Amino acid sequence: MATKKPRIGVFKFASCDGCQLSLLDCEDELLAIADAVEIGYFLEATRKPLTGEFDIALVEGSISTPEQIEQIHDIRNRSRMLVTIGACATAGGIQALRNFADVREFLSAVYASPEYIDTLKTSTPIADHVRVDFELRGCPVSKHHLVELISATLAGRRPNIPRHSVCIDCKRLGLTCLPVAYGIPCLGPITQSGCGVICPSYHRGCYGCFGPAHRTNVQGLVRAYQSAGVPEETLDLLLHTFNAWAPGFRESTRSVPEELLSRSTGPGGSGER
Ligand code: SF4
Ligand code: SF4
């Protein structure tokens, strides 16, 4: 009798689909994965309706509407293991910039009839709403991390996802340090590895698209750059992009409403929660 294949679902909330595209971009690896699993739900690639339960749920996107709160609880109830993929799902995404302002101002600036838009005041990571078993960082996630996560889960072992900072990879490549040699502010010391050091390789400072690395001192780096004369606005722009709402980044330079800080748990870096 044939063994039942593990069932995988890929789900989308508020996001640009980039992390799902990283999964499709796996090409050769995806064929091998597709052979080993049953793709039970993946609207980007198939038209199957949402039915049944899942061994692994890969969740992209943040929670930004009341309807999505109900949907993520439903997915959690259907899934043995839930993995969040990308900056939106792990930290609220670029759309979490609304958390620092009044969402009604954005609505009236963007939409001709804002009264028809049903949205939450905040964009929050999935872990603020349901239990998350594993997080993959990045905007978008690394396809190598995705393949490693799925292969390790199928093999019943712990995924080998590095948790060190971009700086370590930068040193391994022998690149000249931008802040030290040229005075260019770079978030490499506090950013999770995984991108392959793209920005410093092109003489541009890292702006943290993989989010805070494990146990980093964001405030320490901010203070160091401030004492080196980096303007407050430059630091604010660096820290408030795709991972603006990630703990560490969000408290760094802008004021955050007290009630939001206490409610949000946020991500703890790529890895098990
Ligand atoms: S250039 Fe940036 S990532 Fe590279 S070592 Fe310097 S601070 Fe770290
Ligand atoms: S912003 Fe940082 S983490 Fe993102 S691609 Fe550039 S160097 Fe990598």
Side-chain angles (χ1 to χ4, degrees):
M1 198 175 84
T3 326
K4 197 163 170 274
K5 291 179 179 178
R7 194 159 189 261
I8 291 188
V10 183
F11 302 91
K12 169 190 160 63
F13 289 92
S15 59
C16 75
D17 289 26
C19 292
Q20 294 181 76
L21 289 176
S22 294
L23 185 57
L24 292 174
D25 193 33
C26 292
E27 294 173 349
D28 294 346
E29 299 95 332
L30 191 61
L31 289 177
I33 291 170
D35 205 35
V37 300
E38 178 200 348
I39 307 287
Y41 185 79
F42 189 2
L43 282 189
E44 188 94 3
T46 73
R47 291 185 179 183
K48 285 186 189 169
L50 176 54
T51 56
E53 300 191 336
F54 299 89
D55 294 291
I56 308 173
L58 299 176
V59 179
E60 176 197 84
S62 68
I63 300 299
S64 66
T65 68
E67 186 188 21
Q68 290 173 343
I69 297 177
E70 291 173 24
Q71 290 169 339
I72 192 59
H73 281 281
D74 177 46
I75 292 165
R76 177 69 267 185
N77 290 337
R78 292 169 182 268
S79 308
R80 191 169 58 81
M81 180 179 183
L82 189 150
V83 179
T84 48
I85 56 171
C88 300
T90 59
I94 193 88
Q95 58 274 26
L97 287 174
R98 73 168 74 163
N99 301 2
F100 300 92
D102 184 348
V103 73
R104 287 169 302 184
E105 285 178 26
F106 293 129
L107 285 178
S108 43
V110 172
Y111 297 101
S113 304
E115 64 274 19
Y116 293 118
I117 306 296
D118 188 14
T119 188
L120 296 170
K121 283 195 292 186
T122 54
S123 165
T124 44
I126 300 297
D128 277 13
H129 303 272
V130 294
R131 181 172 56 81
V132 169
D133 299 298
F134 208 92
E135 291 184 321
L136 279 190
R137 295 286 193 78
C139 185
V141 284
S142 148
K143 67 177 193 176
H144 305 294
H145 287 182
L146 267 174
V147 170
E148 165 60 12
L149 176 102
I150 296 171
S151 322
T153 306
L154 295 179
R157 64 173 172 81
R158 186 187 171 84
N160 182 16
I161 309 286
R163 302 176 81 188
H164 58 256
S165 73
V166 173
C167 276
I168 304 286
D169 296 338
C170 199
K171 293 293 155 222
R172 284 176 178 153
L173 288 176
L175 297 175
T176 304
C177 181
L178 298 172
V180 172
Y182 305 104
I184 298 172
C186 175
L187 296 190
I190 56 169
T191 299
Q192 159 88 41
S193 141
C195 69
V197 202
I198 297 174
C199 301
S201 302
Y202 289 93
H203 204 72
R204 176 183 173 157
C206 169
Y207 51 95
C209 80
F210 267 68
H214 188 52
R215 292 188 183 157
T216 48
N217 183 355
V218 180
Q219 290 301 323
L221 186 71
V222 168
R223 280 196 296 275
Y225 282 145
Q226 283 168 335
S227 29
V230 177
E232 203 73 25
E233 309 82 65
T234 305
L235 289 173
D236 192 57
L237 283 175
L238 268 180
L239 286 157
H240 291 91
T241 58
F242 315 102
N243 287 283
W245 196 243
F249 282 24
R250 71 182 177 213
E251 304 89 352
S252 51
T253 50
R254 291 189 192 186
S255 60
V256 181
E258 202 51 48
E259 81 272 12
L260 290 180
L261 270 184
S262 55
R263 186 170 66 80
S264 189
T265 52
S270 286
E272 281 167 305
R273 291 189 59 87

